[in-house]
Short mmCIF file of all heavy atoms in Angstrom, two decimals:
data_model
loop_
_atom_site.label_atom_id
_atom_site.label_comp_id
_atom_site.label_asym_id
_atom_site.label_seq_id
_atom_site.Cartn_x
_atom_site.Cartn_y
_atom_site.Cartn_z
N LEU A 253 0.83 -1.21 0.00
CA LEU A 253 0.00 0.00 0.00
C LEU A 253 0.86 1.25 0.00
O LEU A 253 0.61 2.21 -0.75
CB LEU A 253 -0.92 -0.02 1.23
CG LEU A 253 -1.84 1.20 1.42
CD1 LEU A 253 -2.78 1.36 0.24
CD2 LEU A 253 -2.61 1.09 2.73
N ILE A 254 1.91 1.25 0.82
CA ILE A 254 2.81 2.41 0.88
C ILE A 254 3.55 2.57 -0.45
O ILE A 254 3.69 3.69 -0.97
CB ILE A 254 3.81 2.24 2.05
CG1 ILE A 254 3.06 2.36 3.37
CG2 ILE A 254 4.93 3.27 1.96
CD1 ILE A 254 3.90 2.07 4.58
N ILE A 255 4.02 1.47 -1.03
CA ILE A 255 4.71 1.53 -2.32
C ILE A 255 3.80 2.09 -3.39
O ILE A 255 4.19 2.92 -4.22
CB ILE A 255 5.23 0.13 -2.72
CG1 ILE A 255 6.40 -0.27 -1.82
CG2 ILE A 255 5.66 0.10 -4.18
CD1 ILE A 255 6.88 -1.67 -2.04
N THR A 256 2.53 1.65 -3.39
CA THR A 256 1.57 2.14 -4.38
C THR A 256 1.43 3.66 -4.29
O THR A 256 1.41 4.36 -5.31
CB THR A 256 0.19 1.48 -4.15
OG1 THR A 256 0.33 0.07 -4.28
CG2 THR A 256 -0.83 2.01 -5.14
N ILE A 257 1.34 4.16 -3.07
CA ILE A 257 1.19 5.61 -2.90
C ILE A 257 2.46 6.35 -3.32
O ILE A 257 2.41 7.44 -3.90
CB ILE A 257 0.85 5.93 -1.42
CG1 ILE A 257 -0.52 5.32 -1.07
CG2 ILE A 257 0.84 7.43 -1.16
CD1 ILE A 257 -0.87 5.39 0.40
N LEU A 258 3.63 5.73 -3.09
CA LEU A 258 4.90 6.40 -3.39
C LEU A 258 5.24 6.42 -4.87
O LEU A 258 5.83 7.37 -5.37
CB LEU A 258 6.04 5.74 -2.62
CG LEU A 258 6.05 5.93 -1.10
CD1 LEU A 258 7.22 5.17 -0.48
CD2 LEU A 258 6.11 7.40 -0.72
N VAL A 259 4.88 5.35 -5.60
CA VAL A 259 5.37 5.22 -6.98
C VAL A 259 4.36 5.67 -8.04
O VAL A 259 4.71 5.75 -9.22
CB VAL A 259 5.81 3.78 -7.29
CG1 VAL A 259 6.90 3.33 -6.34
CG2 VAL A 259 4.63 2.81 -7.25
N TYR A 260 3.13 5.95 -7.66
CA TYR A 260 2.13 6.39 -8.63
C TYR A 260 1.67 7.81 -8.33
O TYR A 260 1.46 8.18 -7.18
CB TYR A 260 0.91 5.45 -8.63
CG TYR A 260 1.13 4.16 -9.39
CD1 TYR A 260 1.17 2.95 -8.73
CD2 TYR A 260 1.30 4.17 -10.77
CE1 TYR A 260 1.38 1.76 -9.43
CE2 TYR A 260 1.51 2.99 -11.47
CZ TYR A 260 1.55 1.79 -10.80
OH TYR A 260 1.76 0.64 -11.49
N ASP A 261 1.52 8.60 -9.40
CA ASP A 261 0.99 9.96 -9.27
C ASP A 261 -0.48 10.05 -9.66
O ASP A 261 -1.19 10.94 -9.21
CB ASP A 261 1.81 10.93 -10.15
CG ASP A 261 3.24 11.05 -9.67
OD1 ASP A 261 3.45 11.07 -8.44
OD2 ASP A 261 4.15 11.13 -10.52
N ASN A 262 -0.92 9.13 -10.53
CA ASN A 262 -2.32 9.15 -10.96
C ASN A 262 -3.24 8.77 -9.80
O ASN A 262 -3.15 7.68 -9.24
CB ASN A 262 -2.50 8.16 -12.12
CG ASN A 262 -3.88 8.27 -12.75
OD1 ASN A 262 -4.89 8.07 -12.09
ND2 ASN A 262 -3.91 8.59 -14.03
N LYS A 263 -4.11 9.69 -9.43
CA LYS A 263 -4.93 9.47 -8.23
C LYS A 263 -5.89 8.30 -8.39
O LYS A 263 -6.20 7.60 -7.42
CB LYS A 263 -5.69 10.73 -7.87
CG LYS A 263 -6.74 11.17 -8.88
CD LYS A 263 -7.48 12.41 -8.40
CE LYS A 263 -8.56 12.83 -9.40
NZ LYS A 263 -9.29 14.03 -8.93
N TRP A 264 -6.36 8.04 -9.62
CA TRP A 264 -7.31 6.95 -9.82
C TRP A 264 -6.63 5.60 -9.69
O TRP A 264 -7.21 4.65 -9.16
CB TRP A 264 -8.01 7.08 -11.17
CG TRP A 264 -8.84 8.33 -11.27
CD1 TRP A 264 -8.63 9.41 -12.06
CD2 TRP A 264 -10.01 8.62 -10.49
NE1 TRP A 264 -9.57 10.38 -11.85
CE2 TRP A 264 -10.45 9.91 -10.89
CE3 TRP A 264 -10.73 7.94 -9.51
CZ2 TRP A 264 -11.58 10.51 -10.33
CZ3 TRP A 264 -11.84 8.55 -8.96
CH2 TRP A 264 -12.26 9.81 -9.38
N ILE A 265 -5.39 5.51 -10.15
CA ILE A 265 -4.63 4.27 -9.96
C ILE A 265 -4.37 4.04 -8.47
O ILE A 265 -4.52 2.93 -7.96
CB ILE A 265 -3.30 4.33 -10.74
CG1 ILE A 265 -3.57 4.37 -12.25
CG2 ILE A 265 -2.41 3.13 -10.39
CD1 ILE A 265 -2.32 4.47 -13.10
N VAL A 266 -3.98 5.11 -7.77
CA VAL A 266 -3.70 5.00 -6.33
C VAL A 266 -4.97 4.58 -5.58
O VAL A 266 -4.94 3.69 -4.72
CB VAL A 266 -3.15 6.33 -5.79
CG1 VAL A 266 -3.04 6.28 -4.27
CG2 VAL A 266 -1.80 6.65 -6.40
N ILE A 267 -6.10 5.22 -5.90
CA ILE A 267 -7.36 4.90 -5.20
C ILE A 267 -7.79 3.47 -5.48
O ILE A 267 -8.16 2.72 -4.56
CB ILE A 267 -8.47 5.89 -5.63
CG1 ILE A 267 -8.16 7.29 -5.08
CG2 ILE A 267 -9.84 5.41 -5.14
CD1 ILE A 267 -9.09 8.37 -5.58
N SER A 268 -7.69 3.04 -6.74
CA SER A 268 -8.13 1.69 -7.11
C SER A 268 -7.28 0.62 -6.44
O SER A 268 -7.80 -0.32 -5.82
CB SER A 268 -8.08 1.53 -8.63
OG SER A 268 -8.90 2.47 -9.27
N LEU A 269 -5.95 0.76 -6.54
CA LEU A 269 -5.08 -0.24 -5.94
C LEU A 269 -5.16 -0.21 -4.41
O LEU A 269 -5.11 -1.26 -3.75
CB LEU A 269 -3.63 -0.01 -6.39
CG LEU A 269 -3.35 -0.30 -7.87
CD1 LEU A 269 -1.91 0.08 -8.22
CD2 LEU A 269 -3.59 -1.78 -8.18
N SER A 270 -5.30 0.99 -3.84
CA SER A 270 -5.42 1.09 -2.38
C SER A 270 -6.70 0.41 -1.90
O SER A 270 -6.68 -0.31 -0.88
CB SER A 270 -5.42 2.56 -1.95
OG SER A 270 -4.20 3.19 -2.31
N ALA A 271 -7.80 0.61 -2.61
CA ALA A 271 -9.06 -0.04 -2.24
C ALA A 271 -8.93 -1.56 -2.32
O ALA A 271 -9.43 -2.29 -1.45
CB ALA A 271 -10.19 0.46 -3.13
N LEU A 272 -8.24 -2.05 -3.37
CA LEU A 272 -8.04 -3.49 -3.52
C LEU A 272 -7.19 -4.05 -2.37
O LEU A 272 -7.51 -5.11 -1.81
CB LEU A 272 -7.37 -3.76 -4.87
CG LEU A 272 -7.01 -5.23 -5.16
CD1 LEU A 272 -8.27 -6.09 -5.17
CD2 LEU A 272 -6.26 -5.33 -6.49
N ILE A 273 -6.13 -3.35 -2.02
CA ILE A 273 -5.25 -3.81 -0.94
C ILE A 273 -6.00 -3.83 0.39
O ILE A 273 -5.90 -4.79 1.17
CB ILE A 273 -3.99 -2.92 -0.86
CG1 ILE A 273 -3.14 -3.09 -2.12
CG2 ILE A 273 -3.16 -3.26 0.38
CD1 ILE A 273 -2.03 -2.08 -2.25
N ILE A 274 -6.75 -2.77 0.67
CA ILE A 274 -7.51 -2.71 1.94
C ILE A 274 -8.53 -3.84 2.00
O ILE A 274 -8.73 -4.48 3.06
CB ILE A 274 -8.19 -1.33 2.07
CG1 ILE A 274 -7.11 -0.24 2.26
CG2 ILE A 274 -9.17 -1.32 3.24
CD1 ILE A 274 -7.66 1.17 2.21
N ALA A 275 -9.19 -4.12 0.87
CA ALA A 275 -10.17 -5.22 0.83
C ALA A 275 -9.49 -6.56 1.12
O ALA A 275 -10.03 -7.40 1.87
CB ALA A 275 -10.86 -5.25 -0.53
N CYS A 276 -8.30 -6.76 0.55
CA CYS A 276 -7.57 -8.01 0.81
C CYS A 276 -7.16 -8.11 2.28
O CYS A 276 -7.20 -9.20 2.87
CB CYS A 276 -6.35 -8.09 -0.10
SG CYS A 276 -6.75 -8.30 -1.85
N MET A 277 -6.75 -6.99 2.89
CA MET A 277 -6.38 -7.02 4.30
C MET A 277 -7.59 -7.35 5.18
O MET A 277 -7.47 -8.10 6.16
CB MET A 277 -5.79 -5.66 4.70
CG MET A 277 -4.43 -5.35 4.07
SD MET A 277 -3.80 -3.71 4.51
CE MET A 277 -3.51 -3.94 6.26
N ILE A 278 -8.75 -6.82 4.82
CA ILE A 278 -9.97 -7.13 5.59
C ILE A 278 -10.32 -8.60 5.49
O ILE A 278 -10.72 -9.24 6.47
CB ILE A 278 -11.13 -6.24 5.09
CG1 ILE A 278 -10.86 -4.77 5.47
CG2 ILE A 278 -12.46 -6.70 5.68
CD1 ILE A 278 -11.86 -3.80 4.90
N ILE A 279 -10.15 -9.17 4.28
CA ILE A 279 -10.44 -10.60 4.09
C ILE A 279 -9.54 -11.45 4.97
O ILE A 279 -9.95 -12.46 5.54
CB ILE A 279 -10.28 -10.98 2.60
CG1 ILE A 279 -11.40 -10.34 1.77
CG2 ILE A 279 -10.28 -12.50 2.42
CD1 ILE A 279 -11.23 -10.54 0.28
N ILE A 280 -8.24 -11.03 5.08
CA ILE A 280 -7.32 -11.79 5.91
C ILE A 280 -7.65 -11.63 7.40
O ILE A 280 -7.67 -12.61 8.16
CB ILE A 280 -5.86 -11.34 5.65
CG1 ILE A 280 -5.46 -11.65 4.21
CG2 ILE A 280 -4.90 -12.00 6.63
CD1 ILE A 280 -4.10 -11.10 3.82
N LEU A 281 -7.93 -10.39 7.82
CA LEU A 281 -8.17 -10.14 9.24
C LEU A 281 -9.57 -10.59 9.69
O LEU A 281 -9.74 -11.06 10.82
CB LEU A 281 -7.99 -8.65 9.54
CG LEU A 281 -6.57 -8.10 9.36
CD1 LEU A 281 -6.55 -6.59 9.50
CD2 LEU A 281 -5.62 -8.73 10.39
N PHE A 282 -10.55 -10.46 8.80
CA PHE A 282 -11.94 -10.83 9.14
C PHE A 282 -12.49 -11.74 8.04
O PHE A 282 -13.34 -11.34 7.24
CB PHE A 282 -12.81 -9.58 9.28
CG PHE A 282 -12.23 -8.56 10.22
CD1 PHE A 282 -11.57 -7.43 9.73
CD2 PHE A 282 -12.33 -8.72 11.60
CE1 PHE A 282 -11.04 -6.48 10.59
CE2 PHE A 282 -11.80 -7.78 12.47
CZ PHE A 282 -11.15 -6.66 11.96
N PRO A 283 -11.97 -12.97 7.98
CA PRO A 283 -12.39 -13.87 6.89
C PRO A 283 -13.86 -14.27 7.03
O PRO A 283 -14.39 -14.34 8.14
CB PRO A 283 -11.47 -15.09 7.09
CG PRO A 283 -11.11 -15.06 8.53
CD PRO A 283 -11.06 -13.63 8.93
N PRO A 284 -14.53 -14.52 5.88
CA PRO A 284 -15.94 -14.95 5.93
C PRO A 284 -16.10 -16.30 6.63
O PRO A 284 -17.15 -16.59 7.17
CB PRO A 284 -16.34 -15.01 4.45
CG PRO A 284 -15.05 -15.10 3.71
CD PRO A 284 -14.04 -14.37 4.52
N TYR A 285 -15.08 -17.11 6.57
CA TYR A 285 -15.08 -18.35 7.35
C TYR A 285 -13.63 -18.62 7.77
O TYR A 285 -12.69 -18.18 7.13
CB TYR A 285 -15.64 -19.53 6.55
CG TYR A 285 -14.86 -19.89 5.32
CD1 TYR A 285 -13.82 -20.83 5.36
CD2 TYR A 285 -15.15 -19.29 4.08
CE1 TYR A 285 -13.11 -21.14 4.23
CE2 TYR A 285 -14.44 -19.61 2.96
CZ TYR A 285 -13.41 -20.54 3.03
OH TYR A 285 -12.70 -20.85 1.90
N LYS A 286 -13.48 -19.32 8.87
CA LYS A 286 -12.15 -19.53 9.45
C LYS A 286 -11.48 -20.73 8.79
O LYS A 286 -12.01 -21.84 8.80
CB LYS A 286 -12.27 -19.77 10.96
CG LYS A 286 -10.95 -19.74 11.71
CD LYS A 286 -10.37 -18.33 11.77
CE LYS A 286 -9.13 -18.26 12.66
NZ LYS A 286 -8.53 -16.94 12.72
N TRP A 287 -10.33 -20.49 8.21
CA TRP A 287 -9.56 -21.57 7.59
C TRP A 287 -8.39 -21.91 8.49
O TRP A 287 -7.57 -21.07 8.81
CB TRP A 287 -9.07 -21.14 6.21
CG TRP A 287 -8.18 -22.17 5.56
CD1 TRP A 287 -6.85 -22.35 5.73
CD2 TRP A 287 -8.58 -23.19 4.67
NE1 TRP A 287 -6.38 -23.37 5.00
CE2 TRP A 287 -7.44 -23.94 4.30
CE3 TRP A 287 -9.82 -23.54 4.10
CZ2 TRP A 287 -7.48 -25.01 3.45
CZ3 TRP A 287 -9.86 -24.62 3.22
CH2 TRP A 287 -8.70 -25.34 2.90
N GLU A 288 -8.35 -23.17 8.90
CA GLU A 288 -7.26 -23.62 9.76
C GLU A 288 -6.34 -24.55 8.98
O GLU A 288 -6.77 -25.61 8.54
CB GLU A 288 -7.80 -24.35 10.99
CG GLU A 288 -8.59 -23.47 11.94
CD GLU A 288 -7.72 -22.40 12.59
OE1 GLU A 288 -6.47 -22.56 12.60
OE2 GLU A 288 -8.28 -21.39 13.04
N PRO A 289 -5.09 -24.17 8.78
CA PRO A 289 -4.16 -25.03 8.03
C PRO A 289 -3.79 -26.28 8.84
O PRO A 289 -3.81 -26.26 10.07
CB PRO A 289 -2.96 -24.13 7.81
CG PRO A 289 -3.00 -23.15 8.92
CD PRO A 289 -4.45 -22.91 9.22
N GLU A 290 -3.48 -27.34 8.12
CA GLU A 290 -3.06 -28.57 8.80
C GLU A 290 -1.74 -28.37 9.54
O GLU A 290 -1.54 -28.89 10.63
CB GLU A 290 -2.91 -29.71 7.78
CG GLU A 290 -4.22 -30.13 7.12
CD GLU A 290 -4.02 -31.27 6.17
OE1 GLU A 290 -2.88 -31.79 6.07
OE2 GLU A 290 -4.99 -31.66 5.49
N LEU A 291 -0.84 -27.61 8.89
CA LEU A 291 0.45 -27.32 9.52
C LEU A 291 0.59 -25.80 9.65
O LEU A 291 1.08 -25.13 8.74
CB LEU A 291 1.60 -27.89 8.69
CG LEU A 291 1.65 -29.41 8.55
CD1 LEU A 291 2.71 -29.82 7.53
CD2 LEU A 291 1.96 -30.06 9.91
N PRO A 292 0.11 -25.22 10.73
CA PRO A 292 0.18 -23.76 10.88
C PRO A 292 1.62 -23.27 10.98
O PRO A 292 2.53 -24.01 11.37
CB PRO A 292 -0.58 -23.51 12.18
CG PRO A 292 -0.50 -24.79 12.93
CD PRO A 292 -0.48 -25.88 11.90
N VAL A 293 1.79 -22.01 10.63
CA VAL A 293 3.12 -21.39 10.71
C VAL A 293 3.44 -21.12 12.18
O VAL A 293 2.58 -20.63 12.93
CB VAL A 293 3.14 -20.08 9.90
CG1 VAL A 293 4.45 -19.32 10.11
CG2 VAL A 293 2.93 -20.37 8.43
N PRO A 294 4.66 -21.40 12.64
CA PRO A 294 5.02 -21.16 14.04
C PRO A 294 4.91 -19.67 14.40
O PRO A 294 5.04 -18.80 13.54
CB PRO A 294 6.48 -21.63 14.12
CG PRO A 294 6.66 -22.54 12.95
CD PRO A 294 5.75 -22.06 11.89
N ASP A 295 4.65 -19.42 15.68
CA ASP A 295 4.51 -18.03 16.13
C ASP A 295 5.76 -17.21 15.87
O ASP A 295 5.66 -16.02 15.53
CB ASP A 295 4.18 -18.02 17.64
CG ASP A 295 2.76 -18.48 17.93
OD1 ASP A 295 1.95 -18.52 16.97
OD2 ASP A 295 2.48 -18.82 19.08
N ARG A 296 6.92 -17.83 16.03
CA ARG A 296 8.16 -17.07 15.79
C ARG A 296 8.28 -16.62 14.33
O ARG A 296 8.85 -15.57 14.04
CB ARG A 296 9.39 -17.88 16.20
CG ARG A 296 9.60 -19.17 15.45
CD ARG A 296 10.86 -19.88 15.94
NE ARG A 296 11.08 -21.14 15.26
CZ ARG A 296 10.55 -22.29 15.62
NH1 ARG A 296 9.73 -22.33 16.70
NH2 ARG A 296 10.80 -23.41 14.97
N ARG A 297 7.73 -17.41 13.39
CA ARG A 297 7.71 -17.01 11.98
C ARG A 297 6.78 -15.80 11.81
O ARG A 297 7.08 -14.87 11.06
CB ARG A 297 7.23 -18.17 11.11
CG ARG A 297 7.14 -17.86 9.61
CD ARG A 297 8.45 -18.14 8.91
NE ARG A 297 8.78 -19.54 9.01
CZ ARG A 297 8.30 -20.49 8.19
NH1 ARG A 297 7.48 -20.17 7.22
NH2 ARG A 297 8.66 -21.75 8.36
N LEU A 298 5.63 -15.88 12.49
CA LEU A 298 4.68 -14.76 12.44
C LEU A 298 5.32 -13.49 12.97
O LEU A 298 5.22 -12.42 12.35
CB LEU A 298 3.44 -15.12 13.25
CG LEU A 298 2.40 -14.00 13.43
CD1 LEU A 298 1.84 -13.55 12.08
CD2 LEU A 298 1.27 -14.46 14.35
N TRP A 299 6.01 -13.59 14.12
CA TRP A 299 6.66 -12.42 14.68
C TRP A 299 7.75 -11.88 13.72
O TRP A 299 7.90 -10.68 13.56
CB TRP A 299 7.29 -12.77 16.02
CG TRP A 299 6.31 -13.25 17.05
CD1 TRP A 299 4.96 -13.01 17.07
CD2 TRP A 299 6.60 -14.05 18.20
NE1 TRP A 299 4.39 -13.62 18.17
CE2 TRP A 299 5.37 -14.26 18.89
CE3 TRP A 299 7.77 -14.62 18.74
CZ2 TRP A 299 5.28 -15.01 20.06
CZ3 TRP A 299 7.68 -15.35 19.91
CH2 TRP A 299 6.45 -15.55 20.57
#
């Protein structure tokens, strides 16, 4: 998101890509259903 804002001057490109990125972040943080992987990533990898 930060790179998009830094490298583009066209406001419509920035708005469109920013909206797409925010939507993807919402899907990850508030998924429509909870997906639990068989082998989750360790907490230290997350950190």
Side-chain angles (χ1 to χ4, degrees):
L253 178 61
I254 291 174
I255 289 175
T256 300
I257 296 172
L258 291 178
V259 302
Y260 281 113
D261 294 322
N262 188 300
K263 65 178 182 180
W264 296 113
I265 294 178
V266 173
I267 291 173
S268 301
L269 291 175
S270 298
L272 177 61
I273 294 170
I274 292 172
C276 292
M277 291 178 67
I278 292 174
I279 290 174
I280 296 173
L281 294 172
F282 307 101
Y285 62 91
K286 191 70 173 179
W287 176 275
E288 293 295 340
E290 295 182 4
L291 296 171
V293 173
D295 288 344
R296 61 179 179 274
R297 179 89 62 84
L298 174 61
W299 300 338

